[in-house]
Each structure stands twice: as C-alpha cells, then as structure tokens.
C-alpha cells in the first residue's frame, strides 16, 4: 500500500502527459500536412513548431522522472534531469504567452503605428514578462540548491512547493498577463472600424473583412480563457495545499493547453 501511495502521483503525471503528448504530435503532423511552403516561412509557424517541440521535450523528461520512479524506484535519477524537468515545466509557458502577442501586431502593425502607441500597448506585457523571467530564474536557482540535500522527486517538489514566493509571484503575473491579452482581444474585436463612407461596390467586401478580423480576435480571446482558469487553479493549490501533486498536474496541463491554444489562435484562427 505504501508503494502504491508513493507512485500514485507519478502514475497520474505519466497518464496525463502521455495523453497530451499524443494530441500535440497529432497536431504537429496536421500542421505540416495542411500548411503550404509559403506559410511555413512565416515566423509564427516556426514559433508554433518550436512550442510543440518544447512540450515534447517536457513529455520525455516527465517520462524519465515519473516513469523511473515507478519502474525503478531504488535507482537515483541524476540531478540534472530533475533540473531540466523543472525548467521545461516552468519556463516554456512564458514563451507560449509571448507568441500570442503576435495577434496584437495584427491590430498595431509596427510599420505604421506610432511609437508612443506601441509603447502604451506593449509596455505592460513586456514588463510582466520580464518580471516572470526573473521570478522563474530565482525559483530555478532555489531548486538547484535543494538538490544537494534531497534524494527523491517527491522531496524536491515538497521542499520548494508550498507558498513558494517566486512561483506564487510568477503565477500571479501570469494571470495578469493573460487577463491583459484577453481584454485587449475583446476590446479590439469591439473597436474595429465599420468602414463607413466607402463606395457601395466595396461595402460587402469591407464588411466581410471586418467580420473576419473580429472573429479572429474572438478566437484569440477564447484561447486565453482556459489557461487563465488553470492559472487561478494553480495559484489556489500552491497557497492552500502542501501536496504538490494536484498543483503540478494543473501546471503540466496548463502548459499543454497553452500550446494548443497558441496554435489555434495564431495559425488556424
């Protein structure tokens, strides 16, 4: 019974990560199958491929750490593997969220938007992302220091989990980041011009373009909702529960959901 209780969190991680990984690999195949040579040259396409590959690396590392604790619990996993797993579980969401900023560039093109306007739009999310990067770096440093005295993944997680100030701060800033982008997309969809005063022969085409752009921003906004909900769940878990298992499950799920959301919001929107 004690052994089952010990491996239960790791088994849950393996099952959930395997399901998400299968979904992402399928999306990667579909992404290449339905793309054109021209679309593959776009930066947003390459960024999405990198995001999927980063999530795949996390899946492999999770298989090594969680799978190893199930199949060979008496064999010590190298500290570098633990550190790499934490890195790919916490840092890539910052990259995923940055990809979604490309949606705002559709409304505020760099070439024609005044510099002051760009500063007003992008200053807040960029400052938030810098703060998140600092908080994550401090947490990773704390985690690396803990590896010298702890032996198992459970001990590593529990020692740096409950009410950790760095992770709590990072997830709080992530909530603010997602709320900002959600509000921006909703605001953009409402403030699109009505194309008044244009010739009648172009009126239908103009309205079609407007409606299409509005739908794109609605889709982009919808893809912020689920990561935002999972962010809030993560924050509740880390501040109320000493068990790392549930919160880590939300963290892993949020990472994969973010990748899928980014793909839908930037490529297929």
């Amino acid at each position: 019974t004690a052994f089952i209780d010990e491996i239960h969190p790791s088994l849950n991680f393996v099952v959930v990560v395997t399901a998400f990984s299968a979904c992402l690999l399928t999306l990667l195949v579909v992404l290449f199958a339905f793309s054109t040579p021209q679309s593959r040259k776009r930066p947003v396409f390459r960024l999405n491929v990198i995001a999927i590959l980063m999530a795949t690396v996390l899946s492999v590392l999770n298989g090594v750490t969680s799978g190893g604790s199930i199949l060979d619990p008496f064999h010590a996993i190298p500290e570098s593997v633990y550190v790499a797993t934490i890195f790919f579980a916490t840092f890539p969401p910052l990259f995923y969220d940055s990809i979604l900023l490309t949606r705002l560039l559709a409304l505020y093109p760099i070439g024609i938007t005044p510099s002051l306007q760009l500063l007003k739009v992008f200053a807040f999310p960029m400052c938030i992302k810098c703060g998140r990067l600092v908080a994550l770096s401090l947490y990773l440093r704390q985690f690396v220091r803990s590896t010298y005295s702890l032996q198992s993944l459970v001990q590593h997680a529990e020692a740096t989990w409950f009410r950790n100030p760095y992770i709590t701060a990072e997830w709080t800033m992530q909530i603010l980041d997602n709320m900002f982008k959600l509000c921006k997309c909703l605001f953009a969809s409402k403030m699109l011009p009505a194309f008044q005063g244009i010739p009648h022969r172009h009126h239908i085409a103009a309205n079609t373009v407007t409606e299409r752009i509005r739908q794109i921003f609605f889709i982009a906004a919808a893809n912020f909702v689920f990561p935002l909900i999972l962010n809030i769940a993560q924050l509740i878990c880390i501040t109320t529960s000493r068990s790392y298992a549930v919160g880590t499950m939300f963290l892993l799920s949020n990472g994969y959901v973010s990748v899928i959301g980014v793909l839908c919001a930037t490529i297929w929107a």
Side-chain angles (χ1 to χ4, degrees):
T1 303
F3 175 72
I4 295 176
D5 293 338
E6 183 73 18
I7 69 171
H8 189 262
S10 298
L11 181 61
N12 289 339
F13 295 155
V14 170
V15 171
V16 171
V17 169
T18 301
F20 277 116
S21 300
C23 181
L24 285 180
L25 290 177
T26 303
L27 287 175
L28 182 62
V29 173
V30 172
L31 181 62
F32 276 97
F34 288 93
S35 61
T36 62
Q38 291 76 18
S39 65
R40 292 171 193 158
K41 296 178 181 179
R42 295 168 56 194
V44 69
F45 180 91
R46 297 175 181 178
L47 291 174
N48 275 278
V49 172
I50 293 173
I52 294 176
L53 294 178
M54 292 176 72
T56 304
V57 172
L58 174 61
S59 302
V60 174
L61 291 172
N62 178 77
V64 173
T65 54
S66 299
S69 65
I70 297 173
L71 300 177
D72 192 3
F74 301 105
H75 180 266
I77 297 175
E79 297 173 358
S80 58
V81 177
Y82 281 140
V83 175
T85 304
I86 293 298
F87 177 87
F88 279 95
T90 55
F91 278 81
L94 179 59
F95 173 71
Y96 308 151
D97 293 342
S98 299
I99 298 176
L100 286 170
L101 281 178
T102 59
R103 266 292 167 244
L104 292 180
L105 292 176
L107 188 64
Y108 304 98
I110 295 179
I112 61 175
T113 305
S115 300
L116 183 59
Q117 181 68 16
L118 287 175
L119 181 63
K120 292 179 180 179
V121 173
F122 292 100
F124 178 77
M126 294 305 296
C127 289
I128 286 290
K129 283 173 172 49
C130 290
R132 291 175 61 185
L133 182 61
V134 171
L136 288 173
S137 300
L138 292 173
Y139 171 72
L140 188 64
R141 178 171 173 267
Q142 180 190 44
F143 185 86
V144 170
R145 287 185 171 183
S146 72
T147 60
Y148 297 118
S149 58
L150 302 174
Q151 298 299 320
S152 69
L153 177 62
V154 174
Q155 290 176 331
H156 280 76
E158 290 181 346
T160 58
W161 168 256
F162 184 62
R163 294 181 180 176
N164 185 285
Y166 305 127
I167 290 297
T168 302
E170 198 276 331
W171 287 350
T172 302
M173 287 186 284
Q174 188 176 12
I175 290 175
L176 295 176
D177 196 4
N178 285 331
M179 288 182 64
F180 171 82
K181 286 178 288 190
L182 175 62
C183 294
K184 269 295 181 182
C185 287
L186 292 175
F187 176 78
S189 66
K190 296 294 185 182
M191 296 300 294
L192 289 173
F195 292 99
Q196 295 180 354
I198 61 175
H200 178 72
R201 63 180 180 275
H202 298 306
H203 186 72
I204 295 178
N207 283 336
T208 302
V209 171
T210 305
E211 186 60 30
R212 174 59 178 165
I213 296 175
R214 183 176 287 110
Q215 290 174 358
I216 288 174
F217 279 108
F218 271 126
I219 293 173
N223 285 281
F224 291 118
V225 173
F226 290 109
L228 180 59
I229 294 174
L230 291 173
N231 285 153
I232 296 173
Q234 290 171 207
L235 198 59
I236 293 174
C237 288
I238 198 173
T239 55
T240 60
S241 175
R242 291 186 178 275
S243 174
Y244 77 98
V246 178
T248 303
M249 188 70 71
F250 280 124
L251 172 64
L252 294 173
S253 300
N254 195 10
Y256 291 108
V257 169
S258 296
V259 175
I260 297 172
V262 166
L263 188 63
C264 295
T266 57
I267 296 293
W268 291 324

